[in-house]
Each structure stands twice: as structure tokens, then as C-alpha cells.
Amino acid sequence: MIKNGIKIIKISSADIIDFQLHNFLKDKNSIEIILSTGMSNLKEITETVKLYKRKNKLKKLYLLQCISNYPAKITNQNLNVIPMFKKNFNLSPGFSDHTIGYFASTLAVALGAKIIEKHFTLDKSLKGPDHKASMNPREFGFFVKKIRETEKILGSDKKFCVDEELEMKRISRKSIIAKKLINKGQKLSINNITCKRPGTGILAKNYFKVIGRKTKKKILKDQMILSKDLFL
């Protein structure tokens, strides 16, 4: 396979303890390895990963959380293993999904899975161990759509006000207003100012900053107080 230019090799869960295979592959610095971890425990995974990292020649090694049954129970997926893989091994995690449907995979993506494996068949009634747990072409198209939607929903890890919030921000945030009539030259105090919508004046976060400042003009009850209305 490697002589034929294969760049990525997927190793099945059953072969995670096949050290003869891993010993051969660990020196192949032109390939990437995707390793499924079904039927294994953390000690076995650690031993196999160490074998690859000892040479440190691989372009990339991926670990897929996997439950080896066809179909696998949704309650046995233990998807919290995915972020643990990333933290413990400093490797890109993924998920080999043998459940029915797409929900487990979308959750896996939300937890950081960079690779999703899902079995595919042209006929779910065919003989064999995993056809009934596989997706037909129509189902697979829907599956990919849901994965892409999940990626869009996850979006960025940077927190900011997005464009669609700008008008709501203007309307729903609060500004400082007069609680009652405030005469020219009078100081602002907790007794004569409060905060109400919209957020187009002096924002409510500045409430305590304006306490004690004098007004340049008379301000009516419920009138918004603006910076130009106050002395520095």
C-alpha cells in the first residue's frame, strides 16, 4: 500500500495491540495514521501511542474514540474521552461512529473531534456484520449536512457582538436618565438618576462615574442624560 502512494492509513480497533504492524508503520514518515480505539483501555492506547512517539517521524497521528459493536448503544459512547485524548496525548481526536443516526457524531464534533468515521452501504439489508448500522447514500448526505451545520454553530472561540445583535444592543441596553426633574447646576445623585432603555445615551455601566457631576441645563423627568448635558 505504501509503495502505491497511500498517504493516510486507518488502523482498525482490533489492531490497536498489533505491535508488529505499529512497529512497521512508525518509521514511515510520509504517512498519517488514524487509530481507532474500540475495545481498548487507556493503558493499551498509551502503550501504542508511545511506540509511535518514540520515533517521532509520523506526520500526524489521530485517535478515534470508538465502541466496537454494530450498531453500538448510544449510551455507551463516552464522548468525553475525545477532549481527554487531546489533553493527554496532544493529538487530534476523532470519533468512529457505530451508532444509528447522526446525533452522536454532531456531539463529537462539538467536543473537538476532527475526524468522523461512519460506515456506508448501498443496501442496509445486505448480509454482513455492519450493514444495518451503516448509512445509505440519502442518509449519508443528511449526515454530512448535520456535521457541517454543527461546525457553523460552533463558530469562533472569540467572543464579540455579531452584526445581527447590533440593533438589539442599541434597543435593549440601558442609558442614564433623570428619575425626576433635575435643575440646571444640580449634582447627579442616586436620588435623581436611574437607568432605562434604550442604550443610546450614557450607558448604564457609567452610572457611578456620573454621580456628583453638575448639569449644564434643566433635565426633565425620564429625559435621557447626555454627556453634553454635564460639566466635566
Side-chain angles (χ1 to χ4, degrees), residues 62-150:
Y62 301 88
L63 288 178
L64 306 189
Q65 167 61 352
C66 176
I67 300 300
S68 297
N69 196 21
Y70 308 92
K73 293 179 181 178
I74 198 80
T75 52
N76 283 337
Q77 298 311 299
N78 295 323
L79 294 182
N80 282 321
V81 165
I82 291 170
M84 183 274 289
F85 279 169
K86 183 175 182 179
K87 180 180 178 181
N88 281 25
F89 299 110
N90 194 29
L91 296 172
S92 295
F95 178 49
S96 179
D97 186 0
H98 296 158
T99 67
I100 299 294
Y102 65 85
F103 188 51
S105 284
T106 57
L107 289 177
V109 170
L111 286 168
K114 301 303 181 185
I115 294 177
I116 297 294
E117 177 191 11
K118 191 74 171 179
H119 288 217
F120 178 83
T121 183
L122 295 177
D123 186 350
K124 298 175 77 168
S125 67
L126 291 173
K127 292 182 179 179
D130 60 353
H131 284 288
K132 62 183 178 181
S134 301
M135 287 184 165
N136 61 33
R138 180 187 60 79
E139 292 170 329
F140 199 82
F142 183 76
F143 174 76
V144 173
K145 179 182 178 182
K146 289 301 178 182
I147 294 293
R148 296 292 174 247
E149 286 177 355
T150 301

Side-chain angles (χ1 to χ4, degrees), residues 27 38 52 63 69 73 121 136 157 174-175 190 200 223 226:
D27 294 325
Y52 282 102
L63 288 178
N69 196 21
K73 293 179 181 178
T121 183
N136 61 33
D157 62 356
K174 296 176 181 177
S175 300
I190 60 174
T200 55
Q223 183 178 338
L226 303 177

